[in-house]
mmCIF file of all heavy atoms in Angstrom:
data_model
loop_
_atom_site.group_PDB
_atom_site.id
_atom_site.type_symbol
_atom_site.label_atom_id
_atom_site.label_comp_id
_atom_site.label_asym_id
_atom_site.label_seq_id
_atom_site.Cartn_x
_atom_site.Cartn_y
_atom_site.Cartn_z
ATOM 1 N N ASN A 1 89.346 79.212 41.795
ATOM 2 C CA ASN A 1 87.901 79.444 41.742
ATOM 3 C C ASN A 1 87.549 80.768 42.410
ATOM 4 O O ASN A 1 87.788 80.969 43.596
ATOM 5 C CB ASN A 1 87.175 78.284 42.439
ATOM 6 C CG ASN A 1 85.686 78.299 42.200
ATOM 7 O OD1 ASN A 1 85.087 79.344 41.988
ATOM 8 N ND2 ASN A 1 85.069 77.135 42.236
ATOM 9 N N ASP A 2 86.960 81.683 41.659
ATOM 10 C CA ASP A 2 86.782 83.038 42.166
ATOM 11 C C ASP A 2 85.698 83.161 43.222
ATOM 12 O O ASP A 2 85.640 84.169 43.934
ATOM 13 C CB ASP A 2 86.515 84.018 41.022
ATOM 14 C CG ASP A 2 85.174 83.785 40.348
ATOM 15 O OD1 ASP A 2 84.729 82.624 40.302
ATOM 16 O OD2 ASP A 2 84.577 84.750 39.864
ATOM 17 N N THR A 3 84.826 82.154 43.379
ATOM 18 C CA THR A 3 83.828 82.237 44.442
ATOM 19 C C THR A 3 84.495 82.201 45.821
ATOM 20 O O THR A 3 83.893 82.638 46.811
ATOM 21 C CB THR A 3 82.800 81.093 44.347
ATOM 22 O OG1 THR A 3 83.472 79.833 44.433
ATOM 23 C CG2 THR A 3 82.023 81.180 43.040
ATOM 24 N N LEU A 4 85.736 81.729 45.892
ATOM 25 C CA LEU A 4 86.445 81.690 47.169
ATOM 26 C C LEU A 4 86.654 83.089 47.739
ATOM 27 O O LEU A 4 86.809 83.256 48.952
ATOM 28 C CB LEU A 4 87.798 80.997 47.003
ATOM 29 C CG LEU A 4 87.759 79.518 46.613
ATOM 30 C CD1 LEU A 4 89.169 78.999 46.403
ATOM 31 C CD2 LEU A 4 87.039 78.697 47.674
ATOM 32 N N ARG A 5 86.651 84.098 46.881
ATOM 33 C CA ARG A 5 86.893 85.458 47.368
ATOM 34 C C ARG A 5 85.758 85.963 48.240
ATOM 35 O O ARG A 5 85.893 87.003 48.889
ATOM 36 C CB ARG A 5 87.151 86.410 46.201
ATOM 37 C CG ARG A 5 85.978 86.642 45.282
ATOM 38 C CD ARG A 5 86.327 87.525 44.091
ATOM 39 N NE ARG A 5 87.278 86.892 43.205
ATOM 40 C CZ ARG A 5 87.671 87.426 42.052
ATOM 41 N NH1 ARG A 5 87.209 88.587 41.658
ATOM 42 N NH2 ARG A 5 88.547 86.793 41.288
ATOM 43 N N ALA A 6 84.650 85.222 48.284
ATOM 44 C CA ALA A 6 83.579 85.567 49.214
ATOM 45 C C ALA A 6 84.005 85.313 50.658
ATOM 46 O O ALA A 6 83.387 85.814 51.594
ATOM 47 C CB ALA A 6 82.316 84.762 48.910
ATOM 48 N N ALA A 7 85.090 84.516 50.829
ATOM 49 C CA ALA A 7 85.579 84.206 52.170
ATOM 50 C C ALA A 7 86.513 85.293 52.683
ATOM 51 O O ALA A 7 86.283 85.896 53.732
ATOM 52 C CB ALA A 7 86.287 82.856 52.176
ATOM 53 N N ILE A 8 87.582 85.552 51.930
ATOM 54 C CA ILE A 8 88.580 86.512 52.381
ATOM 55 C C ILE A 8 89.404 86.959 51.179
ATOM 56 O O ILE A 8 89.664 86.176 50.257
ATOM 57 C CB ILE A 8 89.481 85.892 53.478
ATOM 58 C CG1 ILE A 8 90.409 86.939 54.096
ATOM 59 C CG2 ILE A 8 90.247 84.701 52.949
ATOM 60 C CD1 ILE A 8 91.154 86.428 55.316
ATOM 61 N N GLU A 9 89.803 88.203 51.159
ATOM 62 C CA GLU A 9 90.556 88.738 50.023
ATOM 63 C C GLU A 9 91.889 88.015 49.856
ATOM 64 O O GLU A 9 92.608 87.767 50.816
ATOM 65 C CB GLU A 9 90.811 90.230 50.201
ATOM 66 C CG GLU A 9 91.535 90.858 49.017
ATOM 67 C CD GLU A 9 91.549 92.374 49.056
ATOM 68 O OE1 GLU A 9 90.466 92.969 49.264
ATOM 69 O OE2 GLU A 9 92.632 92.945 48.874
ATOM 70 N N GLY A 10 92.180 87.662 48.601
ATOM 71 C CA GLY A 10 93.458 87.059 48.261
ATOM 72 C C GLY A 10 93.490 85.551 48.341
ATOM 73 O O GLY A 10 94.481 84.932 47.929
ATOM 74 N N ILE A 11 92.423 84.937 48.822
ATOM 75 C CA ILE A 11 92.448 83.491 49.000
ATOM 76 C C ILE A 11 92.405 82.746 47.668
ATOM 77 O O ILE A 11 92.731 81.567 47.592
ATOM 78 C CB ILE A 11 91.296 83.040 49.925
ATOM 79 C CG1 ILE A 11 91.629 81.688 50.562
ATOM 80 C CG2 ILE A 11 89.968 83.001 49.180
ATOM 81 C CD1 ILE A 11 90.755 81.338 51.733
ATOM 82 N N ASP A 12 92.016 83.441 46.603
ATOM 83 C CA ASP A 12 91.982 82.812 45.287
ATOM 84 C C ASP A 12 93.260 83.067 44.485
ATOM 85 O O ASP A 12 93.337 82.700 43.313
ATOM 86 C CB ASP A 12 90.762 83.285 44.496
ATOM 87 C CG ASP A 12 90.719 84.790 44.297
ATOM 88 O OD1 ASP A 12 91.236 85.514 45.159
ATOM 89 O OD2 ASP A 12 90.163 85.245 43.278
ATOM 90 N N PHE A 13 94.278 83.685 45.093
ATOM 91 C CA PHE A 13 95.542 83.931 44.392
ATOM 92 C C PHE A 13 96.378 82.648 44.351
ATOM 93 O O PHE A 13 96.454 81.918 45.340
ATOM 94 C CB PHE A 13 96.383 84.990 45.114
ATOM 95 C CG PHE A 13 95.798 86.367 45.143
ATOM 96 C CD1 PHE A 13 96.372 87.345 45.939
ATOM 97 C CD2 PHE A 13 94.682 86.699 44.396
ATOM 98 C CE1 PHE A 13 95.848 88.622 45.989
ATOM 99 C CE2 PHE A 13 94.149 87.970 44.433
ATOM 100 C CZ PHE A 13 94.731 88.937 45.235
ATOM 101 N N PHE A 14 97.024 82.415 43.223
ATOM 102 C CA PHE A 14 98.090 81.420 43.167
ATOM 103 C C PHE A 14 99.387 82.072 43.634
ATOM 104 O O PHE A 14 99.577 83.285 43.500
ATOM 105 C CB PHE A 14 98.277 80.886 41.741
ATOM 106 C CG PHE A 14 97.265 79.851 41.331
ATOM 107 C CD1 PHE A 14 96.235 80.172 40.460
ATOM 108 C CD2 PHE A 14 97.353 78.553 41.812
ATOM 109 C CE1 PHE A 14 95.302 79.217 40.078
ATOM 110 C CE2 PHE A 14 96.427 77.590 41.438
ATOM 111 C CZ PHE A 14 95.398 77.924 40.572
ATOM 112 N N GLU A 15 100.266 81.254 44.163
ATOM 113 C CA GLU A 15 101.578 81.760 44.573
ATOM 114 C C GLU A 15 102.280 82.388 43.376
ATOM 115 O O GLU A 15 102.235 81.867 42.262
ATOM 116 C CB GLU A 15 102.416 80.607 45.131
ATOM 117 C CG GLU A 15 103.742 81.033 45.728
ATOM 118 C CD GLU A 15 104.525 79.862 46.298
ATOM 119 O OE1 GLU A 15 104.027 78.728 46.228
ATOM 120 O OE2 GLU A 15 105.629 80.106 46.805
ATOM 121 N N ASN A 16 102.895 83.531 43.584
ATOM 122 C CA ASN A 16 103.637 84.274 42.549
ATOM 123 C C ASN A 16 102.730 84.910 41.492
ATOM 124 O O ASN A 16 103.235 85.465 40.509
ATOM 125 C CB ASN A 16 104.694 83.395 41.865
ATOM 126 C CG ASN A 16 105.727 82.875 42.851
ATOM 127 O OD1 ASN A 16 106.113 83.587 43.774
ATOM 128 N ND2 ASN A 16 106.158 81.629 42.670
ATOM 129 N N ARG A 17 101.394 84.815 41.676
ATOM 130 C CA ARG A 17 100.433 85.533 40.826
ATOM 131 C C ARG A 17 100.703 85.340 39.332
ATOM 132 O O ARG A 17 101.010 86.283 38.602
ATOM 133 C CB ARG A 17 100.431 87.022 41.180
ATOM 134 C CG ARG A 17 100.278 87.338 42.669
ATOM 135 C CD ARG A 17 98.872 87.148 43.156
ATOM 136 N NE ARG A 17 97.962 88.103 42.565
ATOM 137 C CZ ARG A 17 97.716 89.329 43.053
ATOM 138 N NH1 ARG A 17 98.349 89.731 44.154
ATOM 139 N NH2 ARG A 17 96.851 90.131 42.470
ATOM 140 N N PRO A 18 100.627 84.108 38.808
ATOM 141 C CA PRO A 18 100.922 83.852 37.391
ATOM 142 C C PRO A 18 99.979 84.610 36.469
ATOM 143 O O PRO A 18 98.823 84.881 36.806
ATOM 144 C CB PRO A 18 100.731 82.344 37.256
ATOM 145 C CG PRO A 18 99.788 81.981 38.363
ATOM 146 C CD PRO A 18 100.145 82.901 39.494
ATOM 147 N N ASN A 19 100.468 84.926 35.258
ATOM 148 C CA ASN A 19 99.689 85.683 34.290
ATOM 149 C C ASN A 19 99.731 84.986 32.934
ATOM 150 O O ASN A 19 100.784 84.507 32.501
ATOM 151 C CB ASN A 19 100.243 87.111 34.163
ATOM 152 C CG ASN A 19 99.283 88.037 33.440
ATOM 153 O OD1 ASN A 19 99.063 87.908 32.235
ATOM 154 N ND2 ASN A 19 98.721 88.995 34.177
ATOM 155 N N ILE A 20 98.586 84.943 32.272
ATOM 156 C CA ILE A 20 98.445 84.234 31.006
ATOM 157 C C ILE A 20 99.317 84.836 29.914
ATOM 158 O O ILE A 20 99.644 84.173 28.923
ATOM 159 C CB ILE A 20 96.965 84.215 30.555
ATOM 160 C CG1 ILE A 20 96.683 83.063 29.580
ATOM 161 C CG2 ILE A 20 96.558 85.554 29.945
ATOM 162 C CD1 ILE A 20 96.555 81.736 30.244
ATOM 163 N N ASN A 21 99.744 86.082 30.087
ATOM 164 C CA ASN A 21 100.584 86.728 29.080
ATOM 165 C C ASN A 21 102.029 86.208 29.100
ATOM 166 O O ASN A 21 102.812 86.563 28.219
ATOM 167 C CB ASN A 21 100.565 88.244 29.274
ATOM 168 C CG ASN A 21 99.232 88.852 28.860
ATOM 169 O OD1 ASN A 21 98.819 88.746 27.703
ATOM 170 N ND2 ASN A 21 98.530 89.480 29.796
ATOM 171 N N THR A 22 102.353 85.392 30.087
ATOM 172 C CA THR A 22 103.655 84.727 30.126
ATOM 173 C C THR A 22 103.529 83.362 29.463
ATOM 174 O O THR A 22 102.651 82.571 29.814
ATOM 175 C CB THR A 22 104.132 84.547 31.578
ATOM 176 O OG1 THR A 22 104.230 85.829 32.203
ATOM 177 C CG2 THR A 22 105.477 83.853 31.625
ATOM 178 N N GLU A 23 104.382 83.080 28.507
ATOM 179 C CA GLU A 23 104.279 81.848 27.739
ATOM 180 C C GLU A 23 104.379 80.622 28.640
ATOM 181 O O GLU A 23 105.187 80.573 29.559
ATOM 182 C CB GLU A 23 105.367 81.805 26.664
ATOM 183 C CG GLU A 23 105.156 80.699 25.643
ATOM 184 C CD GLU A 23 106.037 80.871 24.418
ATOM 185 O OE1 GLU A 23 106.718 81.906 24.310
ATOM 186 O OE2 GLU A 23 106.038 79.961 23.565
ATOM 187 N N ASN A 24 103.533 79.650 28.373
ATOM 188 C CA ASN A 24 103.475 78.378 29.088
ATOM 189 C C ASN A 24 102.969 78.523 30.525
ATOM 190 O O ASN A 24 103.092 77.596 31.330
ATOM 191 C CB ASN A 24 104.839 77.678 29.103
ATOM 192 C CG ASN A 24 104.707 76.165 29.184
ATOM 193 O OD1 ASN A 24 103.787 75.570 28.607
ATOM 194 N ND2 ASN A 24 105.605 75.532 29.918
ATOM 195 N N SER A 25 102.387 79.649 30.856
ATOM 196 C CA SER A 25 101.939 79.899 32.232
ATOM 197 C C SER A 25 100.785 78.993 32.645
ATOM 198 O O SER A 25 100.733 78.517 33.788
ATOM 199 C CB SER A 25 101.526 81.364 32.392
ATOM 200 O OG SER A 25 100.548 81.721 31.416
ATOM 201 N N LEU A 26 99.844 78.732 31.738
ATOM 202 C CA LEU A 26 98.674 77.938 32.086
ATOM 203 C C LEU A 26 99.066 76.498 32.397
ATOM 204 O O LEU A 26 98.617 75.919 33.395
ATOM 205 C CB LEU A 26 97.648 77.985 30.955
ATOM 206 C CG LEU A 26 96.321 77.261 31.212
ATOM 207 C CD1 LEU A 26 95.645 77.782 32.480
ATOM 208 C CD2 LEU A 26 95.384 77.414 30.022
ATOM 209 N N LEU A 27 99.907 75.902 31.569
ATOM 210 C CA LEU A 27 100.331 74.524 31.814
ATOM 211 C C LEU A 27 101.131 74.414 33.106
ATOM 212 O O LEU A 27 101.030 73.416 33.822
ATOM 213 C CB LEU A 27 101.160 74.001 30.639
ATOM 214 C CG LEU A 27 100.411 73.803 29.307
ATOM 215 C CD1 LEU A 27 101.330 73.183 28.272
ATOM 216 C CD2 LEU A 27 99.166 72.946 29.502
ATOM 217 N N LYS A 28 101.914 75.427 33.422
ATOM 218 C CA LYS A 28 102.673 75.408 34.677
ATOM 219 C C LYS A 28 101.737 75.417 35.874
ATOM 220 O O LYS A 28 101.963 74.702 36.858
ATOM 221 C CB LYS A 28 103.628 76.598 34.730
ATOM 222 C CG LYS A 28 104.837 76.459 33.818
ATOM 223 C CD LYS A 28 105.758 77.667 33.939
ATOM 224 C CE LYS A 28 106.980 77.514 33.042
ATOM 225 N NZ LYS A 28 107.863 78.709 33.122
ATOM 226 N N VAL A 29 100.677 76.236 35.793
ATOM 227 C CA VAL A 29 99.698 76.274 36.886
ATOM 228 C C VAL A 29 99.016 74.923 37.030
ATOM 229 O O VAL A 29 98.877 74.384 38.140
ATOM 230 C CB VAL A 29 98.658 77.386 36.648
ATOM 231 C CG1 VAL A 29 97.470 77.228 37.608
ATOM 232 C CG2 VAL A 29 99.280 78.757 36.819
#
């Protein structure tokens, strides 16, 4: 949830920074 970035930078990152351009990335998240 991107509203979390109002708290501190990077707090809305998932570990390993997944990207939708990698196949099956969304289901893994």
Side-chain angles (χ1 to χ4, degrees):
N1 191 332
D2 68 329
T3 59
L4 296 176
R5 66 184 66 175
I8 188 171
E9 183 169 311
I11 203 165
D12 59 330
F13 295 170
F14 281 105
E15 186 179 0
N16 300 323
R17 310 285 294 273
N19 194 290
I20 202 77
N21 288 299
T22 301
E23 192 166 354
N24 208 36
S25 55
L26 184 56
L27 292 184
K28 286 181 179 178
V29 167

